[in-house]
Structures are given as C-alpha cells and as structure tokens.
Amino acid sequence: KQPAAPRSRPAKAAPKPSSPASDALKAWWPAASGGFSLVYAGQPKGEQAIALLFSSAPGEGALNQSVKVYDQHGALVSGSWEAAANPRLAVFRGLKPGRYTVVVEAGLADSQGQSLGQDLHGPVYVI
C-alpha cells in the first residue's frame, strides 16, 4: 500500500475589501475626553449630506477653514459647512451618493477657543 500523497492546502483567499457598512460603522474619532471633541460623523437622516456633531459649538467660520471633504478620487469637494438648528451640529450639503473622506484639522476650535488638539480623518458614506 502506497502512502497517501500529501494534500496541498488551498491558497489563502485575499482579504475582502471592507463593505461600506463595516467601514462606515467604525468610529474614526476618539472618545470624548471632556474637552472640545468630535462626537459623531455621518449622513443626516433624509439628506445627501455629511453631518458632524461636536461636544460644543465650533467657532464662527472655523469649520470652513479647518474641515475639508474629499471625494472617492481624492479631489477636494467644493461647498461649505452650515450650522444646523443645534449649534453643535454642522452639515455639508449638496453631495452625490458615494464615499467621502472628512479631514478635521487639530486647530479647529470651539467658540471658547478650545481646540481639538489632534488631526482626525475618516470615511463618511452618503447614500
């Protein structure tokens, strides 16, 4: 009786790219530390837009200087941040469905002058 030929192991499959749902559900901002911080980034219900919720109201005009939105090709998206009824919430409207990268600079400060203290960036999906 001949010994059985060694079985070859199947090639390991390449990792699947993360789906929009799993990518979008990972918080890319740190947990609030008691100072000025980003609390949430995502799509507001019923709008093709990006919403950022902060722990306190961002300083007047600070968002358009310190927060950039890039499309899936890495191009800067033109537009501006608007304050919502809740002064802690900022909205970037007029977007088409897709994956966007939001970049928040460390120098973004609230109305009291307290800054984030670190650069933040991550994906937001608009559907």
PDB file of all heavy atoms in Angstrom, residues 57-73:
ATOM      1  N   ALA A  57     -20.267  73.996  20.444  1.00  0.00           N
ATOM      2  CA  ALA A  57     -20.389  74.684  19.154  1.00  0.00           C
ATOM      3  C   ALA A  57     -19.017  75.108  18.621  1.00  0.00           C
ATOM      4  O   ALA A  57     -18.246  75.748  19.346  1.00  0.00           O
ATOM      5  CB  ALA A  57     -21.278  75.913  19.304  1.00  0.00           C
ATOM      6  N   PRO A  58     -18.703  74.757  17.368  1.00  0.00           N
ATOM      7  CA  PRO A  58     -17.444  75.213  16.762  1.00  0.00           C
ATOM      8  C   PRO A  58     -17.451  76.736  16.625  1.00  0.00           C
ATOM      9  O   PRO A  58     -18.508  77.355  16.515  1.00  0.00           O
ATOM     10  CB  PRO A  58     -17.438  74.554  15.382  1.00  0.00           C
ATOM     11  CG  PRO A  58     -18.433  73.456  15.465  1.00  0.00           C
ATOM     12  CD  PRO A  58     -19.449  73.886  16.477  1.00  0.00           C
ATOM     13  N   GLY A  59     -16.261  77.322  16.629  1.00  0.00           N
ATOM     14  CA  GLY A  59     -16.138  78.767  16.486  1.00  0.00           C
ATOM     15  C   GLY A  59     -16.689  79.243  15.149  1.00  0.00           C
ATOM     16  O   GLY A  59     -16.702  78.499  14.155  1.00  0.00           O
ATOM     17  N   GLU A  60     -17.145  80.472  15.109  1.00  0.00           N
ATOM     18  CA  GLU A  60     -17.716  81.079  13.908  1.00  0.00           C
ATOM     19  C   GLU A  60     -16.717  81.019  12.750  1.00  0.00           C
ATOM     20  O   GLU A  60     -15.588  81.477  12.865  1.00  0.00           O
ATOM     21  CB  GLU A  60     -18.071  82.544  14.209  1.00  0.00           C
ATOM     22  CG  GLU A  60     -18.919  83.198  13.159  1.00  0.00           C
ATOM     23  CD  GLU A  60     -20.346  82.659  13.137  1.00  0.00           C
ATOM     24  OE1 GLU A  60     -20.871  82.277  14.192  1.00  0.00           O
ATOM     25  OE2 GLU A  60     -20.915  82.620  12.034  1.00  0.00           O
ATOM     26  N   GLY A  61     -17.096  80.413  11.642  1.00  0.00           N
ATOM     27  CA  GLY A  61     -16.241  80.329  10.458  1.00  0.00           C
ATOM     28  C   GLY A  61     -15.115  79.320  10.542  1.00  0.00           C
ATOM     29  O   GLY A  61     -14.397  79.108   9.573  1.00  0.00           O
ATOM     30  N   ALA A  62     -14.937  78.686  11.691  1.00  0.00           N
ATOM     31  CA  ALA A  62     -13.816  77.758  11.865  1.00  0.00           C
ATOM     32  C   ALA A  62     -13.942  76.505  11.009  1.00  0.00           C
ATOM     33  O   ALA A  62     -12.945  75.976  10.531  1.00  0.00           O
ATOM     34  CB  ALA A  62     -13.685  77.373  13.339  1.00  0.00           C
ATOM     35  N   LEU A  63     -15.168  76.027  10.807  1.00  0.00           N
ATOM     36  CA  LEU A  63     -15.350  74.780  10.061  1.00  0.00           C
ATOM     37  C   LEU A  63     -14.844  74.883   8.636  1.00  0.00           C
ATOM     38  O   LEU A  63     -14.166  73.988   8.148  1.00  0.00           O
ATOM     39  CB  LEU A  63     -16.826  74.375  10.070  1.00  0.00           C
ATOM     40  CG  LEU A  63     -17.344  73.900  11.417  1.00  0.00           C
ATOM     41  CD1 LEU A  63     -18.858  73.844  11.408  1.00  0.00           C
ATOM     42  CD2 LEU A  63     -16.767  72.546  11.749  1.00  0.00           C
ATOM     43  N   ASN A  64     -15.177  75.969   7.943  1.00  0.00           N
ATOM     44  CA  ASN A  64     -14.775  76.090   6.540  1.00  0.00           C
ATOM     45  C   ASN A  64     -13.264  76.252   6.387  1.00  0.00           C
ATOM     46  O   ASN A  64     -12.722  75.967   5.331  1.00  0.00           O
ATOM     47  CB  ASN A  64     -15.530  77.233   5.870  1.00  0.00           C
ATOM     48  CG  ASN A  64     -16.989  76.864   5.670  1.00  0.00           C
ATOM     49  OD1 ASN A  64     -17.307  75.770   5.220  1.00  0.00           O
ATOM     50  ND2 ASN A  64     -17.884  77.760   6.038  1.00  0.00           N
ATOM     51  N   GLN A  65     -12.582  76.664   7.437  1.00  0.00           N
ATOM     52  CA  GLN A  65     -11.128  76.775   7.392  1.00  0.00           C
ATOM     53  C   GLN A  65     -10.441  75.471   7.776  1.00  0.00           C
ATOM     54  O   GLN A  65      -9.384  75.151   7.261  1.00  0.00           O
ATOM     55  CB  GLN A  65     -10.647  77.880   8.343  1.00  0.00           C
ATOM     56  CG  GLN A  65     -11.077  79.263   7.928  1.00  0.00           C
ATOM     57  CD  GLN A  65     -10.678  80.297   8.974  1.00  0.00           C
ATOM     58  OE1 GLN A  65     -10.283  79.967  10.082  1.00  0.00           O
ATOM     59  NE2 GLN A  65     -10.811  81.558   8.615  1.00  0.00           N
ATOM     60  N   SER A  66     -11.039  74.728   8.690  1.00  0.00           N
ATOM     61  CA  SER A  66     -10.345  73.587   9.293  1.00  0.00           C
ATOM     62  C   SER A  66     -10.892  72.210   8.953  1.00  0.00           C
ATOM     63  O   SER A  66     -10.325  71.213   9.381  1.00  0.00           O
ATOM     64  CB  SER A  66     -10.366  73.740  10.819  1.00  0.00           C
ATOM     65  OG  SER A  66      -9.730  74.931  11.198  1.00  0.00           O
ATOM     66  N   VAL A  67     -12.008  72.135   8.227  1.00  0.00           N
ATOM     67  CA  VAL A  67     -12.588  70.830   7.896  1.00  0.00           C
ATOM     68  C   VAL A  67     -12.744  70.728   6.380  1.00  0.00           C
ATOM     69  O   VAL A  67     -13.400  71.560   5.766  1.00  0.00           O
ATOM     70  CB  VAL A  67     -13.958  70.620   8.579  1.00  0.00           C
ATOM     71  CG1 VAL A  67     -14.481  69.224   8.275  1.00  0.00           C
ATOM     72  CG2 VAL A  67     -13.851  70.836  10.084  1.00  0.00           C
ATOM     73  N   LYS A  68     -12.117  69.721   5.799  1.00  0.00           N
ATOM     74  CA  LYS A  68     -12.159  69.507   4.350  1.00  0.00           C
ATOM     75  C   LYS A  68     -12.855  68.192   4.041  1.00  0.00           C
ATOM     76  O   LYS A  68     -12.794  67.236   4.811  1.00  0.00           O
ATOM     77  CB  LYS A  68     -10.744  69.465   3.760  1.00  0.00           C
ATOM     78  CG  LYS A  68      -9.885  70.671   4.110  1.00  0.00           C
ATOM     79  CD  LYS A  68     -10.386  71.931   3.462  1.00  0.00           C
ATOM     80  CE  LYS A  68      -9.463  73.089   3.737  1.00  0.00           C
ATOM     81  NZ  LYS A  68     -10.080  74.258   4.288  1.00  0.00           N
ATOM     82  N   VAL A  69     -13.504  68.149   2.879  1.00  0.00           N
ATOM     83  CA  VAL A  69     -14.178  66.941   2.403  1.00  0.00           C
ATOM     84  C   VAL A  69     -13.569  66.578   1.054  1.00  0.00           C
ATOM     85  O   VAL A  69     -13.475  67.424   0.162  1.00  0.00           O
ATOM     86  CB  VAL A  69     -15.698  67.173   2.262  1.00  0.00           C
ATOM     87  CG1 VAL A  69     -16.386  65.934   1.695  1.00  0.00           C
ATOM     88  CG2 VAL A  69     -16.313  67.558   3.605  1.00  0.00           C
ATOM     89  N   TYR A  70     -13.173  65.305   0.922  1.00  0.00           N
ATOM     90  CA  TYR A  70     -12.581  64.799  -0.320  1.00  0.00           C
ATOM     91  C   TYR A  70     -13.463  63.684  -0.871  1.00  0.00           C
ATOM     92  O   TYR A  70     -13.996  62.874  -0.107  1.00  0.00           O
ATOM     93  CB  TYR A  70     -11.168  64.262  -0.064  1.00  0.00           C
ATOM     94  CG  TYR A  70     -10.217  65.348   0.391  1.00  0.00           C
ATOM     95  CD1 TYR A  70     -10.056  65.621   1.745  1.00  0.00           C
ATOM     96  CD2 TYR A  70      -9.498  66.095  -0.526  1.00  0.00           C
ATOM     97  CE1 TYR A  70      -9.200  66.628   2.175  1.00  0.00           C
ATOM     98  CE2 TYR A  70      -8.639  67.097  -0.105  1.00  0.00           C
ATOM     99  CZ  TYR A  70      -8.498  67.359   1.241  1.00  0.00           C
ATOM    100  OH  TYR A  70      -7.660  68.357   1.660  1.00  0.00           O
ATOM    101  N   ASP A  71     -13.577  63.623  -2.200  1.00  0.00           N
ATOM    102  CA  ASP A  71     -14.375  62.556  -2.812  1.00  0.00           C
ATOM    103  C   ASP A  71     -13.558  61.274  -2.895  1.00  0.00           C
ATOM    104  O   ASP A  71     -12.393  61.230  -2.472  1.00  0.00           O
ATOM    105  CB  ASP A  71     -14.933  62.992  -4.172  1.00  0.00           C
ATOM    106  CG  ASP A  71     -13.875  63.171  -5.252  1.00  0.00           C
ATOM    107  OD1 ASP A  71     -12.707  62.720  -5.100  1.00  0.00           O
ATOM    108  OD2 ASP A  71     -14.213  63.768  -6.292  1.00  0.00           O
ATOM    109  N   GLN A  72     -14.158  60.225  -3.472  1.00  0.00           N
ATOM    110  CA  GLN A  72     -13.505  58.914  -3.527  1.00  0.00           C
ATOM    111  C   GLN A  72     -12.248  58.895  -4.382  1.00  0.00           C
ATOM    112  O   GLN A  72     -11.450  57.976  -4.296  1.00  0.00           O
ATOM    113  CB  GLN A  72     -14.496  57.858  -4.016  1.00  0.00           C
ATOM    114  CG  GLN A  72     -15.045  58.134  -5.388  1.00  0.00           C
ATOM    115  CD  GLN A  72     -16.443  57.588  -5.565  1.00  0.00           C
ATOM    116  OE1 GLN A  72     -17.096  57.209  -4.611  1.00  0.00           O
ATOM    117  NE2 GLN A  72     -16.913  57.566  -6.777  1.00  0.00           N
ATOM    118  N   HIS A  73     -12.041  59.942  -5.197  1.00  0.00           N
ATOM    119  CA  HIS A  73     -10.845  60.028  -6.038  1.00  0.00           C
ATOM    120  C   HIS A  73      -9.780  60.922  -5.405  1.00  0.00           C
ATOM    121  O   HIS A  73      -8.745  61.169  -6.011  1.00  0.00           O
ATOM    122  CB  HIS A  73     -11.215  60.559  -7.430  1.00  0.00           C
ATOM    123  CG  HIS A  73     -12.278  59.742  -8.100  1.00  0.00           C
ATOM    124  ND1 HIS A  73     -12.080  58.445  -8.520  1.00  0.00           N
ATOM    125  CD2 HIS A  73     -13.566  60.029  -8.389  1.00  0.00           C
ATOM    126  CE1 HIS A  73     -13.197  57.971  -9.050  1.00  0.00           C
ATOM    127  NE2 HIS A  73     -14.125  58.913  -8.974  1.00  0.00           N
TER     128      HIS A  73
END
